[in-house]
Amino acid sequence: LDHQCQAGVIRSYDRQETVRVTAFDAQGKEHLLCTLRVDFVMYMPDGRKVLLEAKGMRTPLYNLKRKMLETFYLPHNDCEYQ
């Protein structure tokens, strides 16, 4: 990622950022579903935010958290997941 920063492909990046996945009930109260620590968050030159995972083994818990992230977090935040 350092090389991509120097080449201008990405603006900057952070390591090991914790993402809070939440959902709202019918009364508008927010509930924490899970937290997911992503390996990298890349900030692109066009303003996009990309969550990047470099996981080895995908466990059932990881798969569940990823599905919650894709369902509840990504549609409401200006970012993508790789």
Side-chain angles (χ1 to χ4, degrees), residues 14-25:
D14 291 323
R15 295 183 174 129
Q16 298 293 309
E17 185 171 312
T18 300
V19 176
R20 293 174 34 92
V21 180
T22 61
F24 292 89
D25 64 20

Side-chain angles (χ1 to χ4, degrees), residues 61-79:
L61 180 59
Y62 166 77
N63 291 334
L64 176 64
K65 287 184 174 187
R66 179 179 176 152
K67 188 67 176 171
M68 285 192 277
L69 179 82
E70 292 170 344
T71 303
F72 296 103
Y73 183 83
L74 295 180
H76 306 287
N77 293 276
D78 187 25
C79 65

